[in-house]
Amino acid sequence: MESVKFTDIKGIKVGHEQNLEAATGCTVVICEEGATAGVDVRGGAPGTRETDLLNPVNMVDKVHGILLTGGSAFGLDAAAGVMKYLEEKRVGFDVGVTKVPIVCGAALFDLIIGDYKIRPDKEMGYKACINANNLELLEGNIGAGAGATVGKVLGTEFSMKGGLGTFALKAGELIVGAIVAVNCLGDVIDPESGKVVAGVLNEQKTGFRNTENIMIAKYDDKRNLFNGNTTIGIICTNAKLTKAGANKVASMAHNGFGRTIFPAHSMYDGDTIFALATGEVEADVNVVGLLAARVMEKAVVRAVKNTNSICGYKCYRDLK
């Protein structure tokens, strides 16, 4: 296997737009030719759009764009800009009078950082599409990762900056890639070293405490102290998959969250992963799924390692 770019998959473009002063933004993955898609929502507090379409029993079998956005539920407005861009290019599901773009999406909560009154909207979603290309992949404080933070069990004072990460692998002709905005309640651990790379800070803000231990010690405290989370991502592959297969790949990709985020899938996270399959290469769904978990694992770690400090939040580089 070799490491490649997420956008080495034919027909896939990625675009971002953000407002770093407000600390929010959105990321769009576009497939104008359409791609088979699935989704798996594991967190207890999701904010999503058009996920019901991806159920294998439903009619629509191709999507044309997936939005990852900040701004909590407000940020899903950015999908209107993605719809506008794709309709102008006559991309979508043909209904006779026009073509309706199929755009799914998920939002993360970043209202606690920057200016909560500014959220991704139709204009920002449209600009992200204008910026979309297959040439350059940006990471860190970009797009949906602009306002992402991690390690929030003790509140904003001891949390750190999260961000956006990507990673892709090629095995023969098969490519599987991940893009993810990491905005979790818990700590992020690099499986290669077993060390925390971002999470809840100690009193001196020079190292880490342990989110799971803190939660266990407060097992009888039912107050919602942990608002402001959710990690959202997309797996993209050139494999030929059915809708059911794409849903399975999205499900298996959550193992990447489980290997890197402690805890993952809590009631305070809306963890969601989409899967897109462009249908170029014959491949076993099990192999695609295991690779999906592997690339998601790498993308999560890259998301926090490539971010920068903003709005007073420390980042990975500050603690090296």
Side-chain angles (χ1 to χ4, degrees):
M1 285 191 300
E2 61 178 313
S3 176
V4 294
K5 290 193 306 179
F6 182 88
T7 50
D8 282 345
I9 298 169
K10 182 181 176 182
I12 294 295
K13 296 190 294 184
V14 178
H16 313 280
E17 183 64 19
Q18 59 282 320
N19 181 326
L20 290 180
E21 290 186 3
T24 195
C26 64
T27 294
V28 63
V29 174
I30 294 174
C31 183
E32 294 181 10
E33 297 300 316
T36 303
V39 68
D40 191 341
V41 182
R42 295 277 181 95
T48 57
R49 180 185 193 276
E50 297 278 45
T51 52
D52 284 349
L53 285 175
L54 306 185
N55 188 320
V57 305
N58 292 331
M59 180 180 66
V60 171
D61 63 349
K62 301 285 185 182
V63 306
H64 307 97
I66 296 182
L67 170 75
L68 304 179
T69 184
S72 190
F74 297 111
L76 292 172
D77 284 349
V82 184
M83 296 277 289
K84 178 177 184 288
Y85 173 86
L86 291 172
E87 185 185 26
E88 288 176 353
K89 296 178 75 68
R90 297 195 57 77
V91 171
F93 184 79
D94 195 341
V95 295
V97 292
T98 188
K99 290 186 176 180
V100 179
I102 307 301
V103 179
C104 303
L108 58 79
F109 188 104
D110 59 5
L111 303 181
I112 56 174
I113 180 175
D115 186 347
Y116 76 92
K117 295 180 181 179
I118 297 176
R119 307 114 181 194
D121 54 13
K122 182 177 181 179
E123 181 182 2
M124 187 177 282
Y126 189 85
K127 286 182 178 178
C129 293
I130 295 294
N131 294 337
N133 61 66
N134 64 353
L135 303 176
E136 183 180 24
L137 277 173
L138 304 173
E139 295 180 302
N141 296 349
I142 196 79
T149 52
V150 303
K152 287 165 276 194
V153 69
L154 296 179
T156 58
E157 181 182 357
F158 297 104
S159 57
M160 289 180 65
K161 189 71 185 64
L164 189 93
T166 72
F167 191 77
L169 288 171
K170 183 176 182 182
E173 295 304 312
L174 174 66
I175 302 175
V176 181
I179 187 166
V180 62
V182 180
N183 186 62
C184 55
L185 160 70
D187 306 318
V188 177
I189 293 177
D190 185 345
E192 287 192 2
S193 66
K195 295 181 179 179
V196 177
V197 290
V200 58
L201 293 166
N202 61 23
E203 286 284 349
Q204 297 75 31
K205 300 182 182 179
T206 56
F208 304 103
R209 283 177 272 199
N210 184 295
T211 293
E212 290 190 345
N213 288 345
I214 292 169
M215 293 175 69
I216 292 167
K218 297 182 178 183
Y219 69 89
D220 57 345
D221 187 347
K222 294 184 178 180
R223 290 177 297 161
N224 184 3
L225 301 176
F226 320 122
N227 317 342
N229 310 297
T230 296
T231 297
I232 50 179
I234 304 167
I235 294 294
C236 192
T237 178
N238 62 354
K240 295 180 181 178
L241 296 177
T242 63
K243 281 177 73 174
N247 276 274
K248 185 61 177 175
V249 167
S251 176
M252 292 178 73
H254 274 281
N255 290 333
F257 284 3
R259 295 169 189 166
T260 54
I261 299 171
F262 292 75
H265 310 133
S266 78
M267 290 296 289
Y268 311 109
D269 293 280
D271 297 342
T272 299
I273 297 178
F274 295 93
L276 278 176
T278 60
E280 298 289 323
V281 177
E282 294 285 353
D284 179 358
V285 65
N286 299 289
V287 175
V288 178
L290 72 87
L291 287 173
R294 189 174 296 185
V295 295
M296 184 59 76
E297 171 188 318
K298 296 285 189 182
V300 168
V301 173
R302 288 182 62 85
V304 296
K305 283 189 173 182
N306 287 301
T307 195
N308 295 310
S309 177
I310 63 170
C311 299
Y313 283 77
K314 283 184 175 289
C315 67
Y316 168 79
R317 293 186 177 100
D318 294 331
L319 301 184
K320 288 182 65 178

